[in-house]
Amino acid sequence: MLTLRQPRAVQARCLRWRAQSLRVGFVPTMGALHAGHLSLVRRARRHADRVVASIFVNPLQFGAGEDYRRYPRTFARDRRMLAAEGVDLLFHPQVRDLYPAGEATRVRVIGLDEPLCGRSRPGHFTGVATVVMKLLGIVQPDVLWLGQKDAQQAALLERMVGDLFLPIEVRRAPIVRDTDGLALSSRNAYLSPEERRTALSLARGLEQARRLLAAGERAASKLKAAVRGEWRRSPGLREDYVEVVDPWNLEPVRRVEGPVLLAVAAYVGRTRLIDNLTWPPSRRRTSRKRARS
Ligand code: AMP
């Protein structure tokens, strides 16, 4: 596996692949890899001739007082994992490589950045869209792989790629969960054993809502109440939001009459966690992996 730091070197390599008609799949990450990231890499591998992964903890998407400094950085381990998965090129830029002095461009996907996580993380999605746009300009992939775990991020990046007429196919992979249901996340590493038990309430709340949906309940208020009812059993969990929205424009939905996204975020101690479910369920079941993050 080739590991490169310089954007221009990565771009030259990827352009050469394209000139050879090789299909390039791309998986952007912030590292501290777990089985969720690897599921994206495996899908990319199956659908492309060359796989590029990036590891970059993007300062632009962290707000003041957020966890940029303490975000887990496990580069040597990540690199071994990606090599073992058959990644062809690992792009590992430093902050000054992507944000050199004088760079002045920001990408904002208006509207989709406001609800859900946008409310408690102002500016976050401009950071995400800007860095992903830079990465896409460098790698110029045929396919961009994103996780359903970050459903708002995926919706926003799909919209950006469409709005900017980028010749890139965006594919989403389902949420990978631990055996007990907790969605894998690099931030799970922050949780103490007790907090981790508390964090299970996120998935349990969604499971309650899923049961109601399967039984025919269509009122968003009832679904949200089911999540909150489950959460009340865990005093260590503090709600950020529980929302039922249209998965395309992320606007609130009162009755479930088409596809919906039930998105949740909560604080467990100092750690902010997110999870979601889509309805109707996709034909592929959400995968559960044993790997602990
Ligand atoms: P991150 O390193 O957190 O920026 O995530 C990189 C990519 O991995 C994003 O597209 C995420 O949505 C995806 N991802 C993170 N956790 C999971 C998970 N548990 N299941 C599926 N995809 C995930």
Side-chain angles (χ1 to χ4, degrees):
M1 183 178 71
L2 197 60
T3 303
L4 296 174
R5 210 194 96 179
Q6 297 296 340
R8 292 292 175 200
V10 173
Q11 193 176 50
R13 172 62 60 139
C14 293
L15 286 174
R16 207 145 64 222
W17 284 333
R18 286 179 74 86
Q20 295 164 6
S21 296
L22 296 170
R23 201 172 148 79
V24 177
F26 176 45
V27 181
T29 83
M30 296 207 299
L33 300 182
H34 51 63
H37 298 112
L38 298 187
S39 80
L40 298 184
V41 169
R42 285 181 197 144
R43 279 162 203 271
R45 176 82 282 160
R46 280 204 297 279
H47 293 92
D49 304 302
R50 295 288 182 271
V51 175
V52 180
S54 63
I55 295 179
F56 180 64
V57 184
N58 174 33
L60 204 63
Q61 70 189 70
F62 289 80
E66 289 190 349
D67 55 345
Y68 174 66
R69 279 184 191 286
R70 71 179 188 125
Y71 196 84
R73 288 162 172 86
T74 57
F75 181 70
R77 177 175 169 273
D78 293 350
R79 188 167 177 227
R80 283 196 298 275
M81 289 165 82
L82 293 174
E85 292 294 336
V87 166
D88 297 282
L89 168 52
L90 169 57
F91 180 29
H92 180 51
Q94 311 221 328
V95 173
R96 63 178 176 278
D97 300 319
L98 287 188
Y99 299 106
E103 71 89 40
T105 302
R106 295 293 172 265
V107 180
R108 182 176 167 210
V109 183
I110 298 162
L112 290 183
D113 63 346
E114 283 167 3
L116 308 178
C117 293
R119 266 199 283 277
S120 53
R121 305 190 71 187
H124 166 69
F125 287 112
T126 293
V128 171
T130 300
V131 79
V132 172
M133 192 60 228
K134 284 175 186 268
L135 293 170
L136 294 177
I138 294 163
V139 176
Q140 304 192 23
D142 296 281
V143 189
L144 167 65
W145 283 93
L146 301 171
Q148 176 63 20
K149 161 81 177 6
D150 299 272
Q152 182 173 15
Q153 170 174 286
L156 188 129
L157 293 175
E158 280 167 4
R159 190 71 70 90
M160 177 187 83
V161 166
D163 287 353
L164 298 180
F165 300 97
L166 303 180
I168 297 170
E169 184 188 338
V170 184
R171 304 277 304 263
R172 286 196 207 190
I175 301 176
V176 177
R177 298 180 179 280
D178 211 332
T179 43
D180 55 10
L182 183 67
L184 295 186
S185 163
S186 305
R187 289 192 169 97
N188 293 351
Y190 299 148
L191 302 172
S192 69
E194 192 192 335
E195 287 175 335
R196 199 185 175 292
R197 280 193 291 280
T198 302
L200 290 177
S201 287
L202 270 87
R204 282 206 200 108
L206 291 174
E207 189 50 39
Q208 295 297 344
R210 191 197 307 277
R211 284 204 193 115
L212 283 185
L213 279 161
E217 181 58 64
R218 291 295 174 263
S221 58
K222 295 274 175 52
L223 303 175
K224 293 194 273 188
V227 174
R228 291 183 174 126
E230 180 64 38
W231 286 8
R232 270 196 293 277
R233 294 150 57 100
S234 294
L237 184 144
R238 186 164 57 86
E239 174 181 335
D240 182 10
Y241 65 76
V242 177
E243 300 277 4
V244 182
V245 299
D246 177 315
W248 163 249
N249 57 27
L250 306 180
E251 282 173 11
V253 164
R254 289 165 66 91
R255 282 195 68 76
V256 179
E257 276 153 2
V260 292
L261 171 73
L262 204 177
V264 302
Y267 294 90
V268 178
R270 289 168 63 199
T271 306
R272 187 175 173 283
L273 298 172
I274 59 173
D275 201 345
N276 68 80
L277 77 77
T278 44
W279 187 268
S282 73
R283 271 170 298 134
R284 286 191 304 257
R285 272 191 57 72
T286 304
S287 31
R288 289 198 181 203
K289 292 274 155 64
R290 185 163 284 281
R292 274 280 160 85
S293 64

